[in-house]
Amino acid sequence: SAVISQKPSRDICQRGTSLTIQCQVDSQVTMMFWYRQQPGQSLTLIATANQGSEATYESGFVIDKFPISRPNLTFSTLTVSNMSPEDSSIYLCSVVGNEQFFGPGTRLTVL
Amino acid sequence: GQQLNQSPQSMFIQEGEDVSMNCTSSSIFNTWLWYKQDPGEGPVLLIALYKAGELTSNGRLTAQFGITRKDSFLNISASIPSDVGIYFCAGRNAGNMLTFGGGTRLMVKP
């Protein structure tokens, strides 16, 4: 399975600020996704990160709030913009190799 | 978004007991996956099922892909304290996107 790392692992941020989360994979992958997991909840897909083109967002998520970059096949970033306490969640990077795997997550708390 | 119906939502069992959880859907899936999430970690893939009726084991874990392609179950035999965590089912459709169940929180009493 692919080895996925995320930075930061956790952060506490003030409302109105933005945080960029990095996802690094140890091998080239075609499909890369970003998920959100709100406290006590299941995983919700935010968007598919497309290499060389704009991300594909799911219903309820927009580029202005969650801009995504995918400069190559091993790296992606997700920015959570203009944060509010409702954005407090775990954000997970996920890739498809022989199956779908998840990174360790970034635990975000917004005060 | 759409979620699979996963049950039970939580279980509190005695060490050594067997555990069973399941997921059902109104939609057909081509793949069923089972993940475990420990506190502060991302989900880890336990078992993948690709064929209706398939029964697959991974140590003390056994999972089956329902014959109707609309359900799957996961059994854990002889539970131990490190089995504690949240278990998620996920179904993949023809569009290659995963749909997740709500999770089963397992607690094991030593």
Side-chain angles (χ1 to χ4, degrees):
Chain A
S1 63
V3 176
I4 307 167
S5 60
Q6 287 185 232
K7 282 197 277 190
S9 58
R10 58 177 61 230
D11 207 343
I12 301 173
C13 301
Q14 296 296 320
R15 74 168 66 215
T17 62
S18 297
L19 177 72
T20 295
I21 302 167
Q22 298 180 5
C23 176
Q24 180 74 54
V25 191
D26 70 340
S27 58
Q28 294 187 338
V29 291
T30 304
M31 301 188 76
M32 188 178 278
F33 306 97
W34 286 98
Y35 285 79
R36 181 176 73 182
Q37 186 177 26
Q38 294 177 301
Q41 302 296 313
S42 187
L43 285 75
T44 300
L45 180 62
I46 297 172
T48 303
N50 301 309
Q51 194 263 331
S53 65
E54 198 169 279
T56 305
Y57 289 84
E58 297 299 305
S59 176
F61 298 96
V62 295
I63 188 171
D64 290 347
K65 176 67 175 176
F66 296 102
I68 288 171
S69 79
R70 177 104 189 261
N72 56 52
L73 294 177
T74 63
F75 186 79
S76 178
T77 67
L78 168 75
T79 299
V80 186
S81 303
N82 188 24
M83 288 183 285
S84 66
E86 292 72 33
D87 294 319
S88 297
S89 292
I90 299 172
Y91 292 87
L92 295 151
C93 173
S94 178
V95 305
V96 175
N98 61 321
E99 244 323 322
Q100 188 160 343
F101 301 99
F102 288 84
T106 296
R107 183 179 294 273
L108 171 62
T109 302
V110 184
L111 302 177
Chain B
Q2 178 190 5
Q3 274 195 347
L4 300 174
N5 297 314
Q6 185 171 349
S7 64
Q9 288 187 324
S10 63
M11 304 180 73
F12 189 31
I13 63 169
Q14 191 77 36
E15 181 177 359
E17 289 183 352
D18 297 343
V19 172
S20 184
M21 59 192 79
N22 70 85
C23 277
T24 60
S25 171
S26 57
S27 305
I28 289 173
F29 289 104
N30 297 327
T31 301
W32 283 94
L33 305 173
W34 285 92
Y35 292 87
K36 182 192 178 198
Q37 186 175 28
D38 291 328
E41 303 290 331
V44 173
L45 182 64
L46 299 174
I47 291 180
L49 302 158
Y50 299 107
K51 189 176 174 182
E54 179 181 355
L55 184 71
T56 296
S57 293
N58 178 6
R60 292 179 296 106
L61 279 60
T62 301
Q64 184 159 30
F65 192 143
I67 197 71
T68 65
R69 295 168 63 194
K70 294 182 179 181
D71 64 310
S72 177
F73 72 74
L74 174 71
N75 288 341
I76 305 173
S77 62
S79 59
I80 59 178
S82 61
D83 290 334
V84 165
I86 304 176
Y87 293 79
F88 290 100
C89 65
R92 179 184 292 127
N93 58 21
N96 278 326
M97 304 309 288
L98 286 186
T99 300
F100 280 87
T104 295
R105 182 181 296 273
L106 178 63
M107 293 160 280
V108 180
K109 183 177 181 182

